[in-house]
Amino acid sequence: MADGTNRKITLKSRPSGYPTPTDFEMIEEPIPQPGEGEVLVQAIWLSLDPYMRGRIGEGASMAGPLPLGEVMIGGVVGRIVKSRNPSFSAGEIVEGNLGWQEYATSNGTDLRRVDASLGPLSTALSVLGMTGMTAYFGFLDVCEPKPGDVVVVSAASGAVGQVVGQIAKIAGCYVVGTAGSQDKIDYIVKELGFDAGINYKTENIGEAIAAVCPNGIDVYFDNVGGPVTDAVMENLALRARIAICGQISQYNLSEPEMGPRNIRMLNIRQAKMEGFLVFQFANRHDEGRQRIAQWIREGKLKYREDIVEGIENAPTAFIGMLRGENFGKMLIKISDE
Ligand code: NAP
Ligand code: FER
């Protein structure tokens, strides 16, 4: 059933500040047909991620800005419905960067077969996918946690943050999360077992952090930057390690804020700050996937996905995610499994 219409979302205009729905356009076209050596994939799940904001703006990114009129980039799990590539058969489930569209062709080089025995298909984009790998390698390799370490993670209920906090608990750490609503704080503390949570929108962050981390912070996994990070910096313990995973508080500003201005804290606490990208660990993602799947099977790690149905709803779901309206990994369900 691969004759008919393909719906795809393209970039219509480059946003300044928060994107709006009119920055995107839905286009209908005939379903593309795979050429020699190609496959046709029907999308089932689409991942929406903060990095996409970087690609639709003018700012620095490794891959450069997405040209206007192009289909939006994004990770997809889908089913091969036609194959003219000897390495793939119709019916196989794959994951790849196929974009915001219902059908896509691929020459297969960027496709990864999904091991459905590890978890539901959606998890190949969430806890067993890009965001889970970010949490696993960013925390374990970049932060080098030790049992008893005091760990703070920002955007703690989100796709990356919820996994970081739970891995930190498995590693024997004391874990504090920051998030933007009481529901999210209740979730990380009561459901996920974080030791404390701070609502950065309603509490005085500096005072709240000092109260729950009286001996300072050994590890900070930073997803947000801005005022939350400023407050953490003032409370570092000796030899603290800071992983810069993301700076979402800056992504929708037309002028990025100056800062951080308290770099002297790295100096006097003899601390280390390191930025990383999940792709640098690509040759070890299978190891991360196996270990996270094992923790899920053992009941040591939970995950939460926020699912919206229909490709036509991807722009508003994406904009909502940037504003904190998502609760867990933001996914679009494009078709039935
Ligand atoms: P997510 O946390 O599921 O969703 C984004 C969350 O950011 C929102 O729900 C919101 O939660 C929070 N947020 C938005 N504006 C904020 C602000 N001004 N201040 C503080 N928090 C704000 O997204 P994710 O996929 O897990 O990504 C989290 C971070 O990791 C992002 O910075 C992303 O760029 C980064 N990342 C990096 C890599 C890498 O390779 N380095 C890979 C994946 C993701 P609240 O309600 O709590 O505000
Ligand atoms: C992210 C933030 C930034 C991310 C990637 C980047 C995968 C950078 C990408 C680039 O510069 O190409 O959340 O997630």
Side-chain angles (χ1 to χ4, degrees):
M1 88 117 237
D3 299 311
T5 303
N6 182 31
R7 295 190 299 164
K8 63 184 193 182
I9 311 279
T10 60
L11 179 64
K12 190 165 184 211
S13 50
R14 246 176 242 303
S16 73
Y18 280 94
T20 64
T22 55
D23 291 324
F24 305 92
E25 183 173 29
M26 193 165 81
I27 289 179
E28 298 196 0
E29 61 175 23
I31 293 173
Q33 296 304 314
E36 181 62 35
E38 290 187 333
V39 296
L40 176 68
V41 180
Q42 180 179 19
I44 302 169
W45 296 101
L46 165 68
S47 178
L48 297 180
D49 297 276
Y51 76 84
M52 295 165 177
R53 178 63 187 85
R55 291 292 309 282
I56 63 179
E58 296 281 7
S61 76
M62 288 194 313
L66 183 75
L68 293 179
E70 289 279 307
V71 65
M72 283 291 295
I73 42 142
V76 163
V77 165
R79 176 177 284 104
I80 295 185
V81 286
K82 280 186 188 174
S83 179
R84 298 184 64 194
N85 179 321
S87 305
F88 294 96
S89 316
E92 284 189 299
I93 302 291
V94 291
E95 186 246 317
N97 191 350
L98 300 173
W100 296 19
Q101 54 186 338
E102 293 177 313
Y103 291 87
T105 55
S106 164
N107 65 14
T109 52
D110 57 343
L111 295 181
R112 163 177 86 81
R113 271 190 188 78
V114 173
D115 180 353
S117 73
L118 291 181
L121 296 186
S122 59
T123 61
L125 297 172
S126 61
V127 66
L128 300 177
M130 194 272 281
T131 52
M133 298 305 104
T134 302
Y136 183 90
F137 292 103
F139 182 64
L140 293 176
D141 274 63
V142 179
C143 299
E144 300 186 315
K146 299 185 294 298
D149 273 352
V150 173
V151 173
V152 174
V153 52
S154 50
S157 75
V160 175
Q162 59 175 256
V163 182
V164 169
Q166 293 181 87
I167 296 177
K169 286 309 299 176
I170 292 168
C173 302
Y174 174 86
V175 184
V176 178
T178 66
S181 77
Q182 192 56 44
D183 278 356
K184 291 179 177 183
I185 297 296
D186 287 346
Y187 173 67
I188 61 173
V189 174
K190 294 178 187 158
E191 297 257 340
L192 302 185
F194 285 43
D195 298 285
I198 298 169
N199 181 342
Y200 72 93
K201 290 186 178 164
T202 58
E203 298 181 55
N204 177 313
I205 319 166
E207 285 174 12
I209 285 180
V212 291
C213 308
N215 298 318
I217 293 153
D218 299 297
V219 168
Y220 177 43
F221 190 102
D222 188 14
N223 285 317
V224 307
V228 175
T229 298
D230 292 343
V232 171
M233 292 285 285
E234 294 296 331
N235 288 277
L236 295 180
L238 211 59
R239 299 250 171 222
R241 286 133 279 147
I242 301 169
I244 302 299
C245 173
Q247 298 278 288
I248 196 169
S249 72
Q250 308 298 300
Y251 296 174
N252 297 290
L253 303 178
S254 27
E255 292 290 329
E257 290 172 336
M258 179 63 75
R261 295 292 287 263
N262 44 12
I263 292 292
R264 71 189 157 80
M265 293 304 296
L266 296 180
N267 188 186
I268 64 179
R269 297 286 193 260
Q270 301 159 47
K272 191 159 77 174
M273 183 185 265
E274 182 175 336
F276 75 95
L277 288 175
V278 61
F279 317 114
Q280 79 197 60
F281 303 101
N283 63 348
R284 292 173 55 205
H285 283 184
D286 277 338
E287 165 204 327
R289 240 187 296 282
Q290 293 296 337
R291 274 198 78 203
I292 293 183
Q294 176 76 21
W295 285 328
I296 295 171
R297 281 196 298 273
E298 292 169 355
K300 294 179 181 161
L301 198 148
K302 300 179 189 170
Y303 61 92
R304 179 171 180 141
E305 298 170 335
D306 190 338
I307 295 166
V308 168
E309 293 210 16
I311 187 80
E312 68 279 11
N313 295 316
T316 46
F318 173 63
I319 296 162
M321 184 265 297
L322 293 174
R323 292 187 179 280
E325 288 161 18
N326 64 310
F327 196 158
K329 170 72 196 123
M330 190 74 238
L331 295 171
I332 300 291
K333 185 170 185 219
I334 296 188
S335 68
D336 288 336
E337 295 191 351

